[in-house]
Amino acid sequence: MTRQKFVAGNWKMNGSLQANAALLQAICRALATDPPVCRVAVAVPAPYLAQARQLLEGSVVELGAQDVSRHEQGAYTGEVSAAMLGDFAVRHCLVGHSERRQYHGETDAVVAAKAQRLLAHGITPIVCVGETLAEREAAQTQAVVARQLGAVLDQVGADAERIIVAYEPVWAIGTGRTASPQEAQQVHAGVRAQLAAVSALAAQVPVLYGGSMNAGNAAELLAQPDIDGGLIGGAALKAPDFLKIISAARIQ
Ligand code: PGA
């Protein structure tokens, strides 16, 4: 069974009303004349959800968010709930991005709770996992990734088939240093096996690669049997680069 590729842009804390409009209009215009074979999404900062929703109307590009509260509602100043994301027709939301784990102290348990909260609101969690350089050098890669994913799988049970996984080695994020296709494929195969242990449907969830994926290296990464797409940071902020990655997903 061939899985449809999925290319998602993670804008991180970048953008402005003006820049977002220019970027999304350029992407939507290009994809309207040359429709993508893969699914395409953008994860925008929360204040721009309304703007992005409007700009994406009628387009194939799906709306995503970057984070969500693990709480349902109430006295959690500054937090954004899954229900609020749902109000803006958000379809996907990142959880456990390494920048959240590293700078905001998110534990595996917090990430799992967020994933479950999203699923309860019909939003697909894009569960980010990945090892640091020190963990890779200590040959801990598979163990770390298995622990991070395992926490989510234990929490969501049969809903595992409704998640997306993104393998993002921390040492490759924003560094220009990409995992080689072989290095990435090896980890993806482990992720796939872990998902397959849950159910046959869970084995088919998209497993994306992220970490300095760009127009130049996307095709080779996306050609790997267990790499189902990309989570793109820096290169998602420039329409021509993002569109080239989307095209690379087409030729698999
Ligand atoms: P990068 O970021 O493509 O800029 O390395 C990827 C990510 O953090 O999702």
Side-chain angles (χ1 to χ4, degrees):
M1 179 165 153
T2 48
R3 292 176 294 272
Q4 190 183 19
K5 297 268 193 276
F6 188 105
V7 174
N10 171 15
W11 289 5
K12 310 194 180 189
M13 199 171 72
N14 293 294
S16 65
L17 287 173
Q18 204 182 354
N20 304 344
L23 179 57
L24 289 180
Q25 280 160 359
I27 292 168
C28 292
R29 209 178 304 121
L31 295 181
T33 48
D34 190 10
V37 170
C38 62
R39 288 174 67 189
V40 179
V42 286
V44 310
Y48 297 127
L49 286 171
Q51 182 203 20
R53 181 190 188 184
Q54 203 168 22
L55 286 164
L56 295 180
E57 213 172 288
S59 148
V60 295
V61 181
E62 301 169 16
L63 182 60
Q66 298 175 14
D67 187 31
V68 67
S69 174
R70 67 184 185 278
H71 305 289
E72 184 60 26
Q73 62 160 55
Y76 301 102
T77 301
E79 292 275 86
V80 173
S81 73
M84 292 171 188
L85 298 182
D87 270 349
F88 291 93
V90 164
R91 294 188 53 185
H92 323 277
C93 179
L94 307 182
V95 291
H97 190 281
S98 65
E99 288 150 16
R100 302 290 320 168
R101 294 180 192 262
Q102 207 175 335
Y103 308 137
H104 303 274
E106 289 192 10
T107 61
D108 291 343
V110 168
V111 174
K114 289 183 173 193
Q116 190 174 41
R117 190 67 67 189
L118 288 167
L119 287 164
H121 287 269
I123 298 169
T124 302
I126 300 180
V127 178
C128 303
V129 296
E131 82 289 0
T132 62
L133 186 57
E135 287 163 342
R136 173 160 283 263
E137 285 171 348
Q140 290 299 304
T141 299
Q142 294 283 7
V144 168
V145 169
R147 190 203 73 225
Q148 292 173 336
L149 179 59
V152 173
L153 296 181
D154 287 350
Q155 178 99 33
V156 306
D159 278 339
E161 62 198 50
R162 294 169 54 211
I163 71 171
I164 290 175
V165 179
Y167 168 58
E168 300 202 300
V170 179
W171 47 270
I173 294 177
T175 59
R177 188 181 159 193
T178 323
S180 71
Q182 294 71 26
E183 282 172 327
Q185 166 57 26
Q186 196 178 20
V187 179
H188 279 238
V191 167
R192 183 83 58 210
Q194 195 174 356
L195 291 163
V198 177
S199 71
L201 276 177
Q204 296 302 324
V205 308
V207 183
L208 318 182
Y209 170 81
S212 298
M213 193 189 268
N214 58 42
N217 61 28
E220 215 190 339
L221 285 159
L222 294 171
Q224 299 302 310
D226 287 300
I227 300 184
D228 302 324
L231 181 56
I232 322 297
L237 296 172
K238 294 183 208 114
D241 292 16
F242 193 52
L243 289 165
K244 277 188 204 132
I245 296 171
I246 292 165
S247 300
R250 161 202 318 266
I251 53 172
Q252 303 309 314

